Amino acid sequence: MNQLSFADTEFTSKRRKTRKELFLARMNGLIPWQQLEAQIEPFYPKAGNGRRPYPLATMLRIHFMQNWYNMSDPAMEDALYEITSMRLFAGLS
C-alpha cells in the first residue's frame, strides 16, 4: 500500500469506525488478494506503450468496490476522491 498522507493518517486514527470501514476491513481479510492477482497478472497490461497502468492490486480492489456498491466508473472515481475509507482500501492517497 502507499504511504499515508497527513489527512489519511488523521482519518485512520479517529475513534469510531463506519459500517463501510468495517465492511472493507472484513473484505480485506477474507479475500485472497495475492492469489487473485497471481491469476490476473499474466493478462494485465504492462508498462511500455502509452500511459503507465495503475497497479493491479489497486484496480482489482476498485473493481470489487464497484460491484459491492453498484457504482459506474464515474461514480467510483467520485467516491475515490470523496470517501477516504475507499481510497485507503484501494491503496490510493
Side-chain angles (χ1 to χ4, degrees), residues 4-57:
L4 297 177
S5 69
F6 177 76
D8 292 339
T9 302
E10 183 177 342
F11 173 81
T12 59
S13 66
K14 69 183 181 122
R15 299 207 284 149
R16 182 183 174 280
K17 298 282 184 197
T18 65
R19 286 188 303 260
K20 187 174 283 155
E21 290 173 274
L22 295 171
F23 174 78
L24 292 174
R26 182 170 168 101
M27 293 300 103
N28 191 46
L30 289 175
I31 295 175
W33 297 107
Q34 290 178 341
Q35 292 173 349
L36 290 172
E37 290 172 33
Q39 292 289 315
I40 298 167
E41 195 278 327
F43 307 100
Y44 195 71
K46 309 289 186 265
N49 296 336
R51 274 182 33 186
R52 177 177 288 273
Y54 278 94
L56 172 57

